[in-house]
Amino acid sequence: KPAPPVTKILLLMMLLKCRLLSRLTLCDRMLEITFKRPKDAAAACSSPRPRPPGKRRMSIKITGLADIVRIHAASRPDAAAIVYEGRTTTYSALDRAASRVANGLVAEGIMPQTRIAHLDKSSDLFFELLFGIAKTNAVMVSVNWRLAAPEIQHIVNDAEAEILFVGAEYLAIVEKIRADLKAVRKIVILGDRHGAWESFATWRDRQALDDPLLLEIQLAGLAAVTAGATARSVDAACRSMAIANG
């Protein structure tokens, strides 16, 4: 006999209060029980769905954003981390690239919590930057590429970004506002070299390969920035612990 509507609502409220709500398989089980066997719903919080024989829960200690690539590169170096436009990047390759980026930033004088701006669409290079910046305890400010030049200028200046990584598609915008980017002292192209602005691949590949292994400070690791009709930025600085642990 199906449960009355009021019972369903009460059971859904129990689901929302369940401390194990973050476990997807458990949520699925709760929803299934809520609509099929309401009297068993209370037991779902303490009775997760059993895993198939032979499968173990992955147990890894990730204390910061940079540890994601460090630990996976050590435990499964040849596994695919990123597949983009036919290119596959393994965890070991991603970790090495991130270390090169980190060493390049240190060589540029980047200090912990310094803002590094990124203006481009998503690609595999984004993650090399993200984890490389994390290894230096700096903060990536990824700017919405749909914004107009004045909005981009305001966001980069507001963040006081010292280095700007820009995709080739947005060079014309950056050239238009370059003179007004107050704190930016270096521009790197995520593509071919453009005049005095160096190619990312060339800049990255000449850096040292060793992981800098800097003490990771659990402060901001990524600032996601957007803007509204007023061209004033709205940003959200996420703690690297929160990003790493989901």
Side-chain angles (χ1 to χ4, degrees):
K1 180 180 179 180
V6 175
T7 303
K8 293 181 180 179
I9 293 172
L10 291 175
L11 290 169
L12 284 173
M13 291 175 66
M14 291 174 59
L15 171 63
L16 293 175
K17 292 182 179 180
C18 181
R19 293 184 62 187
L20 298 177
L21 183 61
S22 61
R23 298 180 184 273
L24 182 59
T25 56
L26 183 58
C27 290
D28 291 341
R29 179 166 173 75
M30 277 293 291
L31 287 172
E32 177 183 352
I33 291 173
T34 297
F35 292 102
K36 290 186 178 179
R37 299 190 309 277
K39 63 181 181 180
D40 297 331
C45 287
S46 58
S47 303
R49 179 180 295 171
R51 291 187 295 276
K55 287 193 175 182
R56 296 182 178 180
R57 186 185 302 278
M58 183 180 292
S59 178
I60 53 178
K61 184 178 177 63
I62 294 177
T63 60
L65 186 58
D67 284 340
I68 294 175
V69 286
R70 286 181 179 132
I71 291 175
H72 284 291
S75 62
R76 45 179 187 151
D78 298 326
I82 304 168
V83 178
Y84 176 76
E85 292 188 348
R87 297 191 298 268
T88 298
T89 305
T90 64
Y91 278 108
S92 61
L94 180 58
D95 185 53
R96 289 194 301 271
S99 292
R100 289 187 185 275
V101 170
N103 287 316
L105 294 174
V106 171
E108 297 288 350
I110 295 301
M111 303 297 290
Q113 296 300 287
T114 300
R115 270 51 178 172
I116 309 296
H118 165 267
L119 177 61
D120 197 13
K121 295 177 181 176
S122 298
S123 72
D124 46 358
L125 299 183
F126 170 85
F127 293 97
E128 293 184 15
L129 273 176
L130 175 65
F131 292 116
I133 291 171
K135 286 188 176 189
T136 64
N137 293 317
V139 180
M140 172 185 271
V141 179
S142 191
V143 184
N144 188 337
W145 51 267
R146 295 181 177 88
L147 300 179
E151 296 172 315
I152 293 171
Q153 175 189 323
H154 168 77
I155 290 170
V156 174
N157 284 340
D158 184 64
E160 298 181 348
E162 296 187 11
I163 299 180
L164 170 61
F165 291 88
V166 59
E169 189 175 349
Y170 306 100
L171 283 175
I173 293 177
V174 174
E175 286 179 322
K176 187 185 300 184
I177 63 175
R178 176 63 186 100
D180 297 314
L181 297 178
K182 301 172 184 177
V184 173
R185 52 188 174 84
K186 185 179 183 67
I187 294 176
V188 180
I189 309 301
L190 297 166
D192 297 332
R193 185 184 185 96
H194 182 76
W197 299 345
E198 192 172 8
S199 162
F200 172 76
T202 302
W203 174 83
R204 175 200 61 201
D205 292 347
R206 72 164 184 267
Q207 311 301 335
L209 189 58
D210 296 338
D211 191 320
L213 294 175
L214 299 176
L215 178 64
E216 191 161 2
I217 304 171
Q218 299 303 332
L219 298 175
L222 170 66
V225 188
T226 185
T230 60
R232 293 298 178 183
S233 62
V234 179
D235 56 36
C238 306
R239 294 182 181 275
S240 55
M241 272 288 288
I243 297 172
N245 294 332

